[in-house]
Amino acid sequence: MENKWNFQGNGELKLVPAPRIRGVLSMIMQNLNKDDQRTTIPLGIGDPSAFPCFRTSISAEDAIVESVRSGKFNCYSPSIGILPARRAIADYLSNDLPYKLSPDDVYVTSGCTHAIEMVLTAISRSSPVANILLPRPGFTFYDTRAAYSNLEVRRYDLLPEKGWEVDLEALEALADEYTVAMVIINPGNPCGSVYTSQHLKKIAETARKLGILVIADEVYNHLTFGSTPFVPMGTFGSIVPVLTLGSISKRWIVPGWRLGWIAICDPNAILQNSGIIKSITGCLEVSSDAPTFIQAAIPQIIEHTKEDFFLKIVEMLRGAAVICFDKLNEIPCITCPSKPEGSMFVMAKLNLSLLDEISDDVEFSLKLAKEESVIVLPGMAVGLKNWLRITFACDHSSLEDGLGRIKGFCERHAKKK
Ligand SMILES: *Cc1c(COP(=O)(O)O)cnc(C)c1O
């Protein structure tokens, strides 16, 4: 009988260039050896919520319970988010800014991922195709999402020998009249870098010269533990308009709560009549909203979470970053160019000439999973081949165990003299 079904799906989606980090990690995880009695050490994905020591604050949990129990938030939310949430987020971000954001500058999203989707869709333009400048190494969701939104991607390099700062000269050379925005991720994923105020100002001045927006992914805001304090890009919003993206996923360690935001940091109101804000609200209208009861809990989550909670998390990450950096640099075939000062990640470079029968970062990660039950992310998944991205957001003993296994693996595979 003739087949009349026509379920082909959108073929173009299969052509999307950059795989999402999760896709690469699940490929690596399929290589785990089920007969290994040792526990698997997950140094691939940045979600420490599985570790009891990274449990979120009690006040955040209480806020959610109260919100649900009130029975007042079982309703739909407006597409831009409910006012108390927008106000609380505006106040929270304003604490670190030289001007005050109004609730009207804030749009609530389902996590930072949704914020990225909305902003990239809002700035895309099809004829002529707009382009966007993304960091390399970076967070590949931007690349993938840009491909879905008909945005051309151009990659600028981060410089490992300069603490992963932006190569601003190269960035300038990439831009043309169709460039609409550049993305920075600070504190950095995957590099663990934290930019100084001076560097952020230079970024702002460069973007101004090019006439482009800065999209500042600050999902790791305040997760810093080195000598450089966190400074929001919005500080320089009077030099260049900044769209700040964030969420509670990382600082509160609740990525499953799906609560994020877009904040328009533009004290000179350059964007007011640009169409961009209209596009963002338009995109939000045809998209799903963050759960109302989570939004309603936001004012309490922000206000009631004690400084102790943040200090404990930052101390744990500080200790973990030191262990990670020191242990990795003891391994001859691995080099970390700079000690992580923020976020939950470090980039480590492989010297493959010291290893036998390992041709690249993917093979390294696959064999490491199989032989040692340790998961790391091959650098190709963040745009840097033959590097690894390692997360140190796990309890210190698992981390030491995992790094010890990586060392054993490298010794076993070392080229014989
Ligand atoms: C985790 C992460 C996100 C996504 O955050 P969610 O709030 O979980 O959606 C966005 N950007 C970067 C750089 C991240 O590491």
Side-chain angles (χ1 to χ4, degrees), residues 20-22 46 109-116 138-142 184-190 217-220 245-250 254-261 343-345 389:
R20 276 188 77 180
I21 286 171
R22 285 182 204 177
T109 57
S110 304
C112 189
T113 305
H114 186 217
I116 297 169
F139 185 65
T140 37
F141 184 72
Y142 283 92
I184 63 156
I185 303 172
N186 181 53
N189 176 7
D217 182 328
E218 294 177 356
V219 79
Y220 296 98
L245 315 185
S247 79
I248 59 170
S249 303
K250 308 292 162 74
V254 289
W257 291 10
R258 310 311 304 137
L259 198 291
W261 53 80
S343 86
M344 307 172 170
F345 306 97
R389 186 194 76 171

Side-chain angles (χ1 to χ4, degrees), residues 68 71 172 189 194 198 201-202 213 219 286 314 319 333 340 344 350 373 383 410:
V68 173
E172 264 195 70
N189 176 7
V194 180
Q198 293 88 316
K201 186 162 181 222
K202 276 194 199 143
L213 275 172
V219 79
V286 291
V314 162
C333 65
M344 307 172 170
L350 287 174
S373 301
C410 291

Side-chain angles (χ1 to χ4, degrees), residues 48-57 61 253 309 312-313 316 394-395 398:
S49 63
F51 298 97
C53 61
F54 280 103
R55 179 152 172 186
T56 194
S57 73
E61 293 177 359
I253 319 174
F309 168 76
K312 187 188 99 182
I313 299 297
M316 217 135 50
C394 57
D395 71 73
S398 304

